[in-house]
Amino acid sequence: MKTSILDILRIGIGPSSSHTVGPMRASREFLVRLGTRLVSVDRLLVELYGSLALTGHGHGTDRAILLGLEGCKPELVDPELIDETISSIRNTQKIKLLGERQISFGENLDLVFHRDIAMPGHPNTLRLTAFDDAGDEIETALYYSVGGGFIAREGEVQAREEKQEPPYPFSSAEELLRLGERHGLAIWQIVLANEERWRGEADVRAYVAKIWNTMQGCVARGLKTEGILPGGLKVRRRAPNLARRLAEKKTSDPLGALDWVNAFAFAVNEENAAGGRVVTAPTNGAAGVIPAVAHYYEKFVPEASEDGLFRFLLTAGAIGILYKENASISGAEVGCQGEVGVACSMAAGGLVAALGGTNDQVEHAAEIGMEHHLGMTCDPIAGLVQIPCIERNGVGAVKAINACRMAMQEPEHKVSLDQVIETMYKTGLDMQTRYKETSQAGLALNIIEC
């Protein structure tokens, strides 16, 4: 096992984990690794390739890089101060590297979008090069933003903290089910035991509580914040009005809870589109699915409890690990099936665990959640994480609830989760590049203005 659930569920900012969070981390890491050589830097050149270049402006990649060069971390940066920081850099054309070394930085010369060049290593690629005052190169590095905020530096195995071997390592859903059967453990208990080996139960529970609190805060902000989303499409936030109408509506509609699920999902992804604080779960573009299903459980399931939410998030994290390690969670690599599809699969399995279902039912629900997202393209209009992304999270959340119900009513199934994960990955590799977060096909091409 290489991945922790703390990697799958992470606090960051919108609008994109691969186009915002990843480039911010890469820019900062490049400078940190310069160490004492930072004082010699007189010019910095940042070049973007592939999907990062094609949809970077719509996804806020340019802003993210400026923040990363200033030393900001996605999980700590204050969203309320971002506009002020960006405006200062652009007005003065100066940037303070890691908050220490001030140099000139003009985006027209120093931040280059190579829209006609794709690098072979990954669709989301950026190169950073530092020069001294004589114009000589100090350091250059190629980074890949591989989805979910993860980054990799070319030529290196992704650096990871040294970890003890967990008591229950697994690399497939089949292994996970066998471990549960052999040791009499639920999936969430296996995950907890593994995480405890690395950081202790108290820390794990505190982190999960922080993730849930962040999700709740994001939903609350999204349900009350009015206005037009940035980017030029003039998309109006719908979550506040939808929540208001639902609260005022007196009805016995048996599907009324699903209207709230849509509202919860819209709230998160409208916050994400506005650059707000979200939980990457497993990506920003799919950040609304898991919070929406968790809120459904908390507000509409009579036996809901804090323990149930804990089971939900740990189980969802385990499923996310399987996709991260065996396939991809990058829309630029496998399309939206790797984002909303994975989030739906995670949420479906997590909800089964929260409701007290068996490990087999968890696996079945997760399989259903992905099976019916296979082939989903990533084609955001104008490169913005708004259309179809916001509604797609609502649909994905409702699918997750349905997948949970189907799995708990009829456990027998022919297709395994491992098989559908492999199918998703191969389908993504077969998908034409123009349908994978490039805004060169699909809705992005056929609906130019909204």
Side-chain angles (χ1 to χ4, degrees), residues 171-178 322-323 326 363 367 415-424:
S171 59
S172 68
E174 182 181 1
E175 289 182 5
L176 193 53
L177 291 176
R178 282 205 306 263
L322 293 174
Y323 283 99
N326 295 298
E363 186 264 356
E367 181 275 322
V415 181
S416 72
L417 178 56
D418 290 327
Q419 288 171 326
V420 85
I421 290 174
E422 181 181 5
T423 301
M424 183 275 281

Side-chain angles (χ1 to χ4, degrees), residues 31 54 86 101 129 139 149 222 231-232 242 248 309 321 327 395 406 408 429:
L31 296 180
L54 289 165
I86 298 298
R101 170 74 173 170
T129 308
E139 177 80 17
L242 177 55
E248 295 170 353
L309 286 165
I321 289 171
V395 173
M406 292 171 69
M408 294 187 75
L429 295 181

Side-chain angles (χ1 to χ4, degrees), residues 337-398:
Q337 57 174 359
E339 296 201 35
V340 170
V342 172
C344 176
S345 184
M346 292 169 64
L351 184 57
V352 170
L355 295 174
T358 67
N359 288 351
D360 286 337
Q361 290 171 333
V362 168
E363 186 264 356
H364 187 191
E367 181 275 322
I368 294 172
M370 174 52 73
E371 184 177 336
H372 303 289
H373 278 93
L374 290 174
M376 180 175 281
T377 59
C378 182
D379 51 353
I381 296 175
L384 298 168
V385 193
Q386 297 177 19
I387 303 173
C389 318
I390 295 170
E391 283 186 358
R392 191 168 282 177
N393 275 258
V395 173
V398 171

Side-chain angles (χ1 to χ4, degrees), residues 1-30:
M1 282 185 63
K2 300 174 290 185
T3 310
S4 162
I5 62 160
L6 276 64
D7 298 320
I8 297 296
L9 303 171
R10 294 194 285 187
I11 298 170
I13 60 167
S16 171
S17 49
S18 59
H19 286 60
T20 309
V21 176
M24 189 186 300
R25 287 196 170 109
S27 302
R28 185 180 184 279
E29 182 188 286
F30 176 76

